[in-house]
Amino acid sequence: MDIKQMCINASDAAIRMAALDTETKNNALARIALALLENKDKIIEANNADLKRSEEEKLASPLLKRLKFDEKKINDVVEGIKSLIGLVDPVGKTMLSTMLDDGLELYKVTCPIGIIGIIFESRPDALVQISTLCLKSGNSVLLKGGREAKETNRVLADIIEEASVAAGLPKGWINLLESREDVNEMLKMDKYIDLIIPRGSNEFVRYIMDNSKIPVMGHADGICHVYVDKEADLDMAIKVAVDSKTQYVAVCNAAETLLVNEAIAEKFLPALKAEFDKKNVEIFGDEGTQKIIESKPASEADWATEYLDYTISIKIVADVDEAIKHINTYGSGHTDSIITSNKENALKFMNLVDSGNVFWNASTRFCDGYRYGFGAEVGISTSKLHARGPVGLDGLTSYKYKLIGDGHIVDDYATKKKSFKHIKINKSIE
């Protein structure tokens, strides 16, 4: 099937998706969860084929970690689906209700975006999370995963489509793209596609933006920072820094740069290095860091590098202001954390760091749709329009204004026969 026909089918399906009731959507999600468990051997077989081929092609170790989709990860995505079922339906919520005049009522009501094109990396679990979020929010979706996961993605897409259609969803709501040519064709489908969400590097997101008229919700690099303030609890700082860097290195919310206040650097850095050594973390440090602990010299490029590996850059700074300036210069607007007992410094950091997620005394790894209680996420948006941070159900909806009258005409108000009352009412549309 060519991409245009795929978009036409998705458009037809989107109209029906928008009208689905919560029970139908939740039943479809439950069937998908069950089907994934029933077909786990088939999924793992396909994933092993992807892993074998990718190892032969010398795929980088961090990408191989993302690609692996074993029984544990299948169970994890199933738990995510169960959590999603329990969330409030984001469609049909009344955001505003106003009585413009007697018998004339205005409602602002959430609705699906329509058709969403999502391009994501070599993580098969992302396909499940993204498609089920689109289902719950009533959207049709075009999915393009990494080439490395093509066999796994085919199996997963087929399972999800079969289970959801059996539950009453329209055919064509979920579609799988497999080649770069498919993506280039998709970028031309502005007549049909309402939003594109690319997950990847700044350069990749920029390419998508430059080559399509379709609105893009961009997810930039995950260059995340932890700043250890002079008034930090050092034991806490070590625990948070180690977790931010090493809990799972091949993800966009792992810390890539550590900023350390000069007042505590001599005491803190040796203790931190001892913990990093246990995890085999390679350190690139500025001149001040190299004088205190053994580390490789950090270059200008290191401050703007997303390692996605057991590697971190460390810089000593004078104060919270220098830390903020560094983050706003080199960061990607993703997630940044301050470790301190000083509330004034913490609030300054959280107010002035220009990122979608700013934390105080917490690991950067908490930036996640599931951990935020969103069920899952389609990605992390570093945009400031529509949605920012982890994009869950609410980020996949728009809204429309619904006006209910009784033969009302504008001329009555233009000629002063009637006047507007504009009274807020606590009422949902019937």
Side-chain angles (χ1 to χ4, degrees):
M1 184 188 304
D2 64 31
I3 302 304
K4 183 177 180 179
Q5 187 59 53
M6 188 181 288
C7 288
I8 291 171
N9 295 346
S11 181
D12 291 340
I15 295 170
R16 294 177 57 192
M17 291 287 287
L20 290 175
D21 58 62
T22 304
E23 184 179 357
T24 299
K25 290 188 285 188
N26 284 343
N27 183 41
L29 290 169
R31 286 198 179 212
I32 290 169
L34 180 60
L36 290 172
L37 293 175
E38 290 176 343
N39 289 278
K40 65 181 180 182
D41 290 341
K42 185 178 180 181
I43 296 168
I44 292 170
E45 182 182 355
N47 187 244
N48 285 337
D50 284 330
L51 285 168
K52 182 180 179 182
R53 184 188 64 255
S54 296
E55 288 171 355
E56 291 171 352
E57 294 175 354
K58 309 298 182 185
L59 187 69
S61 177
L63 295 179
L64 284 172
K65 290 178 183 177
R66 290 188 176 197
L67 175 58
K68 188 174 182 180
F69 197 58
D70 54 14
E71 186 169 357
K72 180 182 181 303
K73 287 191 175 180
I74 293 172
N75 289 334
D76 286 345
V77 296
V78 166
E79 287 304 309
I81 294 171
K82 291 178 180 178
S83 174
L84 189 57
I85 291 171
L87 295 181
V88 174
D89 192 330
V91 177
K93 294 193 296 185
T94 299
M95 304 170 69
L96 170 152
S97 52
T98 305
M99 187 181 78
L100 304 186
D101 194 7
D102 293 335
L104 186 63
E105 296 177 349
L106 177 69
Y107 300 87
K108 182 180 181 181
V109 183
T110 58
C111 62
I113 290 174
I115 302 178
I116 302 176
I118 304 180
I119 310 164
F120 56 98
E121 68 282 20
S122 55
R123 280 179 50 201
D125 52 327
L127 184 146
V128 180
Q129 293 170 353
I130 291 166
S131 60
T132 52
L133 281 168
C134 287
L135 190 164
K136 180 90 175 193
S137 55
N139 292 289
S140 288
V141 62
L142 277 67
L143 299 159
K144 170 60 174 73
R147 182 181 66 86
E148 303 86 357
K150 65 180 183 180
E151 300 297 336
T152 316
N153 287 342
R154 282 176 188 168
V155 171
L156 290 173
D158 287 345
I159 291 170
I160 292 169
E161 180 179 34
E162 183 177 347
S164 61
V165 170
L169 268 64
K171 284 187 66 68
W173 80 269
I174 180 171
N175 305 271
L176 185 65
L177 283 62
E178 294 196 338
S179 69
R180 291 183 179 180
E181 292 73 22
D182 287 346
V183 172
N184 288 330
E185 283 301 306
M186 181 178 72
L187 298 181
K188 301 173 186 176
M189 297 292 118
D190 53 288
K191 180 179 177 180
Y192 303 99
I193 299 173
D194 298 288
L195 178 68
I196 289 183
I197 304 177
R199 294 168 42 142
S201 67
N202 276 314
E203 292 77 14
F204 173 66
V205 173
R206 176 56 55 189
Y207 172 82
I208 299 298
M209 290 178 173
D210 290 344
N211 288 275
S212 183
K213 297 178 182 178
I214 304 168
V216 175
M217 187 186 293
H219 166 209
D221 289 334
I223 302 173
C224 303
H225 300 76
V226 174
Y227 166 57
V228 182
D229 189 46
K230 67 179 180 180
E231 295 184 49
D233 177 309
L234 298 191
D235 289 337
M236 176 194 293
I238 290 172
K239 182 171 67 172
V240 172
V242 171
D243 187 84
S244 295
K245 176 69 261 184
T246 69
Q247 197 277 328
Y248 187 23
V249 298
V251 284
C252 60
N253 59 12
E256 305 293 14
T257 296
L258 182 69
L259 304 173
V260 181
N261 190 284
E262 62 185 10
I264 51 93
E266 288 193 10
K267 183 176 181 180
F268 174 71
L269 286 175
L272 176 71
K273 185 177 187 303
E275 295 304 312
F276 273 161
D277 285 348
K278 295 176 183 177
K279 304 281 187 176
N280 295 315
V281 176
E282 183 178 31
I283 298 172
F284 288 85
D286 66 348
E287 289 185 9
T289 299
Q290 292 175 67
K291 291 177 182 177
I292 299 172
I293 59 172
E294 183 181 350
S295 58
K296 296 181 178 180
S299 66
E300 182 80 8
D302 284 304
W303 309 132
T305 297
E306 184 180 22
Y307 299 110
L308 297 173
D309 207 345
Y310 288 92
T311 306
I312 195 166
S313 55
I314 300 179
K315 182 180 183 180
I316 296 174
V317 295
D319 51 29
V320 66
D321 293 312
E322 186 179 349
I324 292 167
K325 183 177 180 180
H326 179 98
I327 292 169
N328 288 342
T329 299
Y330 297 101
S332 59
H334 195 298
T335 303
D336 302 288
S337 182
I338 181 173
I339 314 302
T340 186
S341 59
N342 185 307
K343 183 177 180 180
E344 182 179 349
N345 282 354
L347 294 180
K348 175 186 276 191
F349 181 93
M350 291 195 288
N351 287 333
L352 298 185
V353 167
D354 190 18
S355 294
N357 306 271
V358 283
F359 298 167
W360 177 11
N361 291 342
S363 169
T364 60
R365 288 282 289 120
F366 278 107
C367 175
D368 176 84
Y370 176 74
R371 297 186 181 104
Y372 280 13
F374 298 168
E377 66 188 35
V378 295
I380 307 290
S381 173
T382 53
S383 171
K384 297 181 183 179
L385 297 178
H386 179 67
R388 193 180 195 192
V391 180
L393 290 174
D394 288 342
L396 294 177
T397 60
S398 182
Y399 56 83
K400 61 176 67 173
Y401 289 97
K402 298 182 177 182
L403 183 66
I404 301 175
D406 186 21
H408 290 73
I409 60 173
V410 168
D411 191 61
D412 287 342
Y413 299 90
T415 57
K416 308 300 181 183
K417 291 179 183 178
K418 293 183 178 181
S419 59
F420 291 110
K421 296 183 177 179
H422 292 143
I423 298 172
K424 301 298 180 186
I425 54 176
N426 184 21
K427 183 180 177 183
S428 295
I429 192 166
E430 299 298 333

